Amino acid sequence: MSVLRRAVLRTGRILIQSSVEVMAARSVFAGPIKRLFPRVSFTQTRSWCSDGPVSDRAEVRLKRLDGEDKGIVEVLMCRERARNSLGRVFVGQMRELVSPLHHDAAVRVVVFRSLIPGVFCAGADLKERAQMSNPEAELFVHGLRSLMNDIAALPMPTIAAVDGFALGGGLELALACDLRTAAHSAQMGLIETTRGLLPGAGGSQRLPRTVGFAVAKELIFTGRRVGGERALELGLVNCSVPQNPTGDAAHKEALSLAREILPQAPIAVRMAKVAMNRGVEVDISSGMAIEGMCYARLIPTRDRQEGMAAFIEKRPPRYIGE
């Protein structure tokens, strides 16, 4: 049996096993999690952020850009009084908005941003968490981890625009995204050890994969916060820019990055994400097999033919995602 064939078979077993484990975990926790995160109706969602009754409050909203930015979707966090802390309603609404994006071929880039000045996401809602029993707290954190995994698994590129504090679960949300932009004035940190906890929504796994194990251990063990410039030095963010008078410098940088991605062939971009995300989880031989399978998916696409034709005809390509 060839090396490539063995790698493909091994990769298939890895992906199948991973899928089975995820499905099993979801089936065990599905009922309790649904009770913790009730389905939220968005029929009354307003165009502004409110702290009224739960049934009439939008803590997270979705905005689809149009014109030349068509294909960019923004997830807007706007829980003002609680600084976008991760409460039940906030998490439930974000889950409801993120889930349909997995199957939306018209979306090419997703940007996560805050509408609250000076804050991206302050992390856990400790007041709400204090009212939970130990089993309820464990289920809540499992549901939060599941949400971060859903964000990380979105098929299109995702960008976190960090214009303020991203602490604990807030930084875990940013780490679940593919790319991160930050203002110099932003403050980021996995501070859970200062509260007697460890990062429980993916931070202990994603931070080492982002900045390396030694640096991640230092940041988590100390609960240290870092600014935007230091985050760039560590590789925690892709770029850091001075904050502007309107407080949205990181968002503007995220949009600029999204606009660079937007003209590229969407299927190729999605397959590149699969190849990198899956490949980093396995040995290099299996990773090469995954790359080969992703590449093979692109060969029969109309976008590949368009890319070749545009190159020969010396014109910009017009990709349609087919």
Side-chain angles (χ1 to χ4, degrees), residues 159-163 179-183 237-240 249-251 253-254 257:
I159 308 172
V162 184
D163 271 307
L179 308 171
R180 287 161 293 282
T181 62
V237 300
N238 296 82
C239 64
S240 181
H251 172 239
E253 195 67 21
L257 190 53

Side-chain angles (χ1 to χ4, degrees), residues 94-154:
M94 182 167 286
R95 185 187 302 279
E96 289 289 319
L97 292 174
V98 166
S99 183
L101 297 179
H102 283 266
H103 313 289
D104 194 335
V107 180
R108 298 195 179 188
V109 188
V110 179
V111 176
F112 289 78
R113 64 170 297 207
S114 169
L115 297 183
I116 311 305
V119 61
F120 176 74
C121 173
D125 187 333
L126 296 180
K127 292 182 179 178
E128 186 177 278
R129 191 78 61 87
Q131 305 302 314
M132 296 181 186
S133 66
N134 289 344
E136 285 177 331
E138 184 177 358
L139 281 171
F140 180 86
V141 173
H142 178 87
L144 190 58
R145 189 181 304 119
S146 174
L147 171 63
M148 301 308 174
N149 287 340
D150 285 346
I151 292 171
L154 283 169

Side-chain angles (χ1 to χ4, degrees), residues 237-256:
V237 300
N238 296 82
C239 64
S240 181
V241 293
Q243 189 55 281
N244 59 25
T246 54
D248 62 350
H251 172 239
K252 290 185 182 300
E253 195 67 21
L255 276 182
S256 177

